Amino acid sequence: MVESREFEGKTVDEAIEKACKELNLKREQLQIDVITSGSSGIFGIVGARKAKIRVSPKEMLPDDQVKLAKEVLENILNPFDVPVVVEGKIKEDQIYLDIISNGSGLFIGRRGQTLDALQYIVNKIVKKEISQCLPIVVDSENYRERRKKSLIDLAKQLGRKARKSSRPVASSPMNAHDRRIIHLTLKKEKGVRTKSKGEGAFRKVVVFPVKRGNSSRNAGHGTNSRKDPPQAERDD
């Protein structure tokens, strides 16, 4: 449910101006209900009353959100001297924007870093226009799905290596989204647990081997009174 707020001013227009400034929204983006129109009273002194309004951000239909997000991304990509087509649709309760271009590698970047940057900017811009907006995913050449499959394979390799060597194994530094895929994949694997370590851009996933007696799946059945770490830690 969209939250409503009340604003006052000498006139209705002044109250609306205050609402627009504080909410950082345009007048046409607000649902406005006038509670009192206000009165200047006698000679502007006696009996003067302020105007009061109740406002709430207008909700935009999903198809209109897709249209806006698509336009924002197209405007960002326009300066690039590469032919580009952006297709948009609703996919799994998200706005999915697909960049189609012969130079898609330029928009994907190393390990998807350029895509991530574009996605961040588009989400920021659209959420300034729409308070209640679906999450926006920016993709190209199905990179997101290919990257996910690659990370799942990597997670399984790290799990096998940790179990075989009985020693912790670390991934290379990863962003939060990629680390989460590693955590979720190995949560289903027996004999290992995961933990994120490091700071900022150097944060990585460490996979620890877990002895059968200390596995979180058997928590409470061993003689060790220390509580075992969870099988897969939630990343931040």
Side-chain angles (χ1 to χ4, degrees), residues 28-170:
E28 57 268 25
Q29 294 175 289
L30 296 174
Q31 176 66 44
I32 303 169
D33 296 315
V34 178
I35 300 172
T36 58
S37 298
S39 172
S40 59
I42 302 173
F43 303 117
I45 301 175
V46 181
R49 290 186 305 167
K50 288 186 176 182
K52 181 184 284 189
I53 61 171
R54 182 180 294 111
V55 302
S56 58
K58 288 181 179 177
E59 294 190 43
M60 186 178 284
L61 295 174
D63 286 346
D64 292 329
Q65 293 183 30
V66 172
K67 183 179 178 182
L68 175 60
K70 182 173 175 290
E71 289 176 355
V72 168
L73 181 56
E74 286 173 340
N75 289 335
I76 294 172
L77 299 180
N78 275 342
F80 290 88
D81 190 22
V82 179
V84 173
V85 174
V86 177
E87 292 185 349
K89 62 182 178 181
I90 301 294
K91 181 179 178 181
E92 297 176 354
D93 295 325
Q94 295 178 319
I95 297 172
Y96 181 83
L97 300 178
D98 187 23
I99 301 173
I100 302 171
S101 171
N102 291 332
S104 58
L106 174 67
F107 304 117
I108 293 173
R110 184 174 180 270
R111 293 184 180 175
Q113 289 178 341
T114 306
L115 274 183
D116 290 341
L118 289 169
Q119 182 171 296
Y120 176 81
I121 294 169
V122 173
N123 272 282
K124 278 287 188 181
I125 294 173
V126 173
K127 285 178 181 177
K128 278 189 176 181
E129 296 289 323
I130 315 168
S131 60
Q132 303 291 325
C133 180
L134 294 171
I136 301 167
V137 175
V138 177
D139 199 3
S140 184
E141 290 190 349
N142 204 31
Y143 173 82
R144 301 288 185 192
E145 187 61 32
R146 290 188 287 111
R147 176 64 173 165
K148 182 179 179 180
K149 289 179 180 178
S150 174
L151 288 168
I152 289 173
D153 289 342
L154 173 63
K156 291 179 178 179
Q157 289 175 19
L158 293 173
R160 286 194 294 268
K161 189 173 181 180
R163 284 192 296 266
K164 186 175 181 180
S165 65
S166 297
R167 299 182 66 179
V169 178

